[in-house]
Structures are given as structure tokens and as C-alpha cells.
Amino acid sequence: MAVIEPHAVTEPGRHRLHTYIDVAVVIAVLAGTNLIAHFTTAWANIVSVPVAAIVLLALVRKRGLGWAELGLSPRHWRRGSVYALAAVGLVLAVVAIGALLPVTRPFFLADRYATLSGALIASMIVIPLQTVIPEELAFRGVLHGTLDRAWGARGVFAAGSLLFGLWHIASSFGLTIGNQGLSGLLPGGIVGQVIGILLAVIATAAAGVVFTWLRQRSGSLLAPIALHWSVNGLGALTAALVWHTTLA
């Protein structure tokens, strides 16, 4: 009669538990980072997300996640670049059409991008370094890899996209105040603010699905980084151009 070693039975369960702990730790760090970034100091708002992304990357690498699991393997750079270029081209076309159509043009009138110099700094420095790269590294890299180990692709798409939407709650406060299109569309006061936050969460969760699809399809973070930047960065530049032509 064969003797079954105790560790042979418990090892898969122990590995599964460690995987769930990794997911919980990543989510807890992201939640804490979000609170620090939006409810403490201006400097914390600038550095907390990039620092957290680097810390999380080092943590999960130590826990055994490979570069391919994190979307950072050089093997996928070529495929990722192809998807990245396609994503930027598609967003550029959509943004150009949106800026030209009278019905959607007011949504580009965001106060923070009222000057071309401010939009250039935001699109080329602030957005990629403070938002796009660290968020994609954290969500489509670290969180993606840990969720995939725990629950596979379905868990990545469902939980990862939902968490990405919830991540934008704090940054959506006052969203309707600084955008003429939204302020004209939604009611004022607390009701309008709540609706604006809900719309932002839904929109960013949907964007998370698309970013995750690109990450899965290409195997690389290059594609979701390019799409994320083009939505934010090209949007900022277009907003400045719309302001300039509107005021001219």
C-alpha cells in the first residue's frame, strides 16, 4: 500500500492560499496608494502612484512572477508595438472626429487644458510618468499577473476592470465642474457630482476591459500603455486646440 506524504496533499492548497494572499496584498497597496494620492499632500499626489507601482513590481517579482506574466518580456515587444500603433491611430481618428462635431466638441473644453503649454506638459510629462505608465504597470502588469494566477482570464477581465473603475472614484470628484460639456449635460450639486462619478467609474471600467484585452492579445504592456496615453495625452492636446480655436 502506497504511503501518501502529507506535503503532497497540502502543497497545492498552500500554493493557492499564497496566490490569494498576493492578490489581497496588491489590492490593499493600490487602495492605500489611491487614498494617499488624493487625500494627503500635493507631493504625495505626484509621487505615490509611481512609487507604489515600482514597489509592487519588486514585490511580485520576489514572489516569483515572471516578466512574461507581467507583460514585460522582450519576446512580446514586436507584437505589442504593432497593437500600440494601431491603438494610437484609432484613438487619433476618434478624437479628431469628436473635436470637429458640434455635439461632442464641448466635452473637450476642460479647464485644466485651456493653454497649449499646459496641455503639452501634461501630455508629454505628467500624464505618461504620473498616470499612464505607473497605472498600467500596476494594473495590467502586477494586478493582471496575480489575478491570472488566482482565477485565470475571467478573473483578470472581471476583477481587474472593476478595480480599475473603482480606482477612479477619488479622481472624479469635481469632474463636472471643470468640463463644460459635462456641466451642461448633468444636473448641478451633489446629484450631478454622484452621477459624474458613476459615469467615470463605468467608463474607466469599460476602458479597463479594452486595456486588458490588448494586454492579453499582445502579451505586452506596450499596447495598453499606448492606448491609455493616447486617450489621455491626445485628449489633452486636442482640448487645448479646441480651447484655442473656440476663443480665437
Side-chain angles (χ1 to χ4, degrees):
M1 181 177 177
V3 178
I4 301 177
E5 295 292 336
H7 71 273
V9 178
T10 60
E11 192 62 33
R14 186 181 296 114
H15 177 72
R16 177 69 62 179
L17 177 61
H18 288 172
T19 301
Y20 293 152
I21 292 174
D22 289 344
V23 172
V25 169
V26 171
I27 293 174
V29 171
L30 288 174
T33 301
N34 192 276
L35 293 175
I36 292 171
H38 292 98
F39 300 106
T40 55
T41 67
W43 276 108
N45 180 265
I46 294 172
V47 304
S48 57
V49 178
V51 169
I54 295 172
V55 169
L56 284 173
L57 176 62
L59 179 64
V60 297
R61 281 290 296 162
K62 190 173 182 179
R63 296 289 292 169
L65 264 72
W67 293 117
E69 291 179 284
L70 295 167
L72 296 171
S73 173
R75 293 186 292 115
H76 300 120
W77 285 355
R78 182 176 179 180
R79 186 177 180 86
S81 299
V82 172
Y83 277 89
L85 290 173
V88 172
L90 178 61
V91 172
L92 182 60
V94 171
V95 167
I97 293 172
L100 292 173
L101 291 176
V103 68
T104 53
R105 187 179 176 88
F107 291 96
F108 289 91
L109 295 175
D111 293 344
R112 55 182 170 172
Y113 302 131
T115 65
L116 185 57
S117 59
L120 280 171
I121 293 173
S123 64
M124 299 303 173
I125 300 175
V126 178
I127 288 174
L129 297 182
Q130 185 180 340
T131 302
V132 172
I133 294 175
E135 283 189 2
E136 290 306 313
L137 184 59
F139 281 90
R140 257 62 63 180
V142 173
L143 184 63
H144 184 112
T146 54
L147 286 173
D148 189 51
R149 279 194 171 187
W151 294 293
R154 290 183 179 180
V156 171
F157 274 96
S161 300
L162 176 60
L163 289 168
F164 190 63
L166 296 176
W167 169 266
H168 289 85
I169 290 177
S171 61
S172 301
F173 292 160
L175 180 67
T176 57
I177 298 174
N179 186 292
Q180 291 190 14
L182 288 175
S183 61
L185 180 66
L186 300 176
I190 188 66
V191 174
Q193 186 175 16
V194 170
I195 294 174
I197 292 172
L198 288 175
L199 290 176
V201 170
I202 293 171
T204 49
V209 173
V210 179
F211 294 155
T212 300
W213 181 85
L214 278 174
R215 162 74 172 82
Q216 289 276 85
R217 189 75 176 174
S218 67
S220 172
L221 284 184
L222 291 177
I225 285 175
L227 178 58
H228 196 160
W229 175 82
S230 60
V231 171
N232 291 13
L234 290 177
L237 292 173
T238 305
L241 292 175
V242 170
W243 270 115
H244 182 72
T245 55
T246 300
L247 297 175

